[in-house]
Amino acid sequence: MKRIYLDYAATTPVHPDVVQEMLPYFHQYFGNPSSIYSIGQEAREGVENARTQIASLIGALPDEIVFTGGGSEADNYAFSGLAFDNNVKGNHFITSSIEHHAVLETTHFLKERGFEVTYLPVDKYGLVDPDDVQIALKPGTIMVSVMHANNEIGTIEPIAEIARITRQAGVLFHTDAVQTVGHIPVDVNELGVDLLSVSAHKLYGPKGVGALYIRKGVKLVPFIRGGQQERGRRAGTENVAGIVGFGKAATIAQAEMVEEARRLTVLRDKLADGLLSGIEDIQINGHSQQKLPNNVNVSINFVEGESLCLNLDLDGICASTGSACSSSSAEPSHVLTAIGVQPPLLHGSLRFTLGKWTTEDDIHHTIDSLSRVVGKLRAMSPLLKRKKG
């Protein structure tokens, strides 16, 4: 059976060229990059080359890039690095109600320790209103954090507009750009952000490595303490092979993402149109235009999302019911709840995310397969029977 992977927002396969770039750093250039002898300095050269590659991808300076253990750590560092700095005046954070759990759980942690957090609402498309940011600002606001694009519904937020508001107020602005970097053009200067999180495994790099962009002049207290790695900002011997792979993935993305985004947008729209025309009582979630080129989030009435996923898997298709970090939860998606999706549509939602190896045949097969699965499940659905009765 052919496997069709349509969950690229959860993780991506490592690009073969990335694997090849990483291999020498496991056995040839294996030294500790903090060591002063040649084997260590060869490893250091790989790390610094990758730092330059990632900086180039987002329009940053190399020394503004701090490597982390992933996107979640980068998000945590952005908040904790300010919250626990005794020189920072204020105790108020602003974020959106549809952030990734790496942000939401961090803000819940901070609230339990006396910090104040404002959670901004979103409209039916998942967009934050910049006017709401302006209203929420107060003298004690430390930072605003709004994700660049939502991982479940793909809506791209008005980051540059929000940044103009925060800059005028003298408040730092962080964005979780895990879903956008490497997929659409991201320039930290055009966006106007002070902090930006990114993860390698979302752009065909290895798992377990990410980065936080920290604009020059912004001071964060270390999130992980110990040695002086990452200029004293993140202790611990660097994951050299992972960082090198991250850098290679960034270079490939920079060369290919514009054309790849065009290709995926065509496939995305074919999938959305095919589902809308082939299945009754469904809706596509998120913004129709201001959206990632690879994301289709659909809610289907009279069926349950987990059953849809399991049946699609039997047909060789990998999709998800939402964020990979929360799909094991029985609770409905906080993102779909925030945009006003009503029960039972909340529980009948699927996320398809396309990627480098998605083909047009995959799209056609997915449309046909999901139509069959929905028909089968609806034939057993007590909700549909009650409606007809």
Side-chain angles (χ1 to χ4, degrees):
M1 178 193 300
K2 179 185 178 183
R3 304 293 294 181
I4 298 175
Y5 184 72
L6 295 177
D7 202 17
Y8 283 83
T11 194
T12 59
V14 180
H15 194 290
D17 292 349
V18 170
V19 175
Q20 290 303 311
E21 192 81 5
M22 293 171 65
L23 287 177
Y25 290 87
F26 288 108
H27 58 86
Q28 184 177 355
Y29 309 126
F30 62 87
N32 188 317
S34 296
S35 301
I36 63 172
Y37 46 74
S38 57
I39 293 176
Q41 289 308 295
E42 289 167 347
R44 168 57 55 193
E45 183 178 351
V47 169
E48 295 309 319
N49 182 56
R51 198 185 309 277
T52 298
Q53 291 169 317
I54 293 157
S56 177
L57 178 61
I58 62 172
L61 299 172
D63 61 3
E64 294 176 316
I65 302 298
V66 176
F67 289 115
T68 66
S72 290
E73 184 188 317
D75 286 342
N76 274 256
Y77 184 20
F79 280 87
S80 298
L82 290 171
F84 300 116
D85 183 349
N86 293 328
N87 295 315
V88 171
K89 306 302 181 184
N91 72 335
H92 178 229
F93 290 95
I94 299 171
T95 190
S96 84
S97 57
I98 62 168
E99 295 296 309
H100 190 276
H101 286 288
V103 167
L104 294 179
E105 291 302 317
T106 301
T107 57
H108 295 160
F109 171 85
L110 292 174
K111 283 182 68 176
E112 292 171 353
R113 282 148 185 83
F115 289 88
E116 182 184 358
V117 182
T118 298
Y119 297 96
L120 302 172
V122 293
D123 66 14
K124 63 181 181 180
Y125 305 111
L127 286 170
V128 172
D129 187 341
D131 288 342
D132 287 341
V133 177
Q134 182 74 69
I135 293 168
L137 289 168
K138 58 177 65 176
T141 303
I142 302 172
M143 185 177 76
V144 174
S145 179
V146 176
M147 66 198 325
H148 193 191
N150 185 262
N151 52 301
E152 292 192 33
I153 59 175
T155 296
I156 299 173
E157 300 293 344
I159 297 301
E161 190 174 349
I162 295 171
R164 284 191 289 271
I165 293 170
T166 58
R167 177 98 8 126
Q168 187 174 13
V171 172
L172 294 178
F173 184 31
H174 165 258
T175 189
D176 179 335
V178 163
Q179 293 292 333
T180 55
V181 170
H183 301 286
I184 62 174
V186 174
D187 186 296
V188 293
N189 297 299
E190 291 180 2
L191 291 177
V193 297
D194 302 293
L195 300 153
L196 180 145
S197 300
V198 61
S199 178
H201 80 103
K202 306 295 188 177
L203 52 109
Y204 308 98
K207 296 175 180 64
V209 59
L212 180 66
Y213 157 77
I214 306 175
R215 183 178 293 279
K216 188 175 289 292
V218 174
K219 305 296 183 184
L220 301 181
V221 298
F223 180 60
I224 297 178
R225 293 173 174 82
Q228 289 301 303
Q229 293 89 352
E230 296 300 292
R231 298 175 178 85
R233 295 177 292 187
R234 199 271 191 184
T237 302
E238 294 91 343
N239 173 8
V240 177
I243 288 169
V244 167
F246 190 2
K248 181 64 174 180
T251 298
I252 295 170
Q254 191 166 12
E256 298 180 355
M257 69 177 163
V258 172
E259 183 56 39
E260 179 68 356
R262 291 194 193 101
R263 186 185 76 88
L264 291 178
T265 298
V266 172
L267 295 180
R268 178 200 70 188
D269 292 345
K270 284 185 177 181
L271 177 57
D273 293 344
L275 295 178
L276 286 170
S277 62
I279 305 173
E280 296 181 346
D281 287 315
I282 71 169
Q283 69 182 42
I284 303 295
N285 300 312
H287 201 282
S288 61
Q289 301 297 321
Q290 201 166 318
K291 187 171 188 172
L292 289 173
N294 72 330
N295 181 294
V296 177
N297 187 294
V298 58
S299 291
I300 306 173
N301 214 344
F302 310 118
V303 289
E304 193 270 330
E306 187 172 296
S307 296
L308 290 170
C309 270
L310 293 173
N311 278 271
L312 286 174
D313 187 43
L314 293 174
D315 206 14
I317 299 170
C318 301
S320 75
T321 55
S323 166
C325 298
S326 60
S327 57
S328 60
S329 171
E331 294 298 316
S333 160
H334 70 286
V335 175
L336 298 183
T337 300
I339 66 173
V341 176
Q342 298 297 309
L345 284 170
L346 269 176
H347 293 280
S349 297
L350 284 176
R351 181 188 68 178
F352 297 99
T353 43
L354 290 52
K356 190 176 293 291
W357 289 279
T358 305
T359 67
E360 189 168 352
D361 285 344
D362 294 340
I363 298 302
H364 293 314
H365 182 73
T366 300
I367 293 168
D368 292 341
S369 178
L370 186 58
S371 297
R372 291 194 303 271
V373 167
V374 169
K376 180 179 74 173
L377 294 177
R378 280 180 173 172
M380 301 182 289
S381 171
L383 294 172
L384 184 57
K385 290 176 182 177
R386 281 201 294 270
K387 180 188 178 186
K388 290 181 176 179

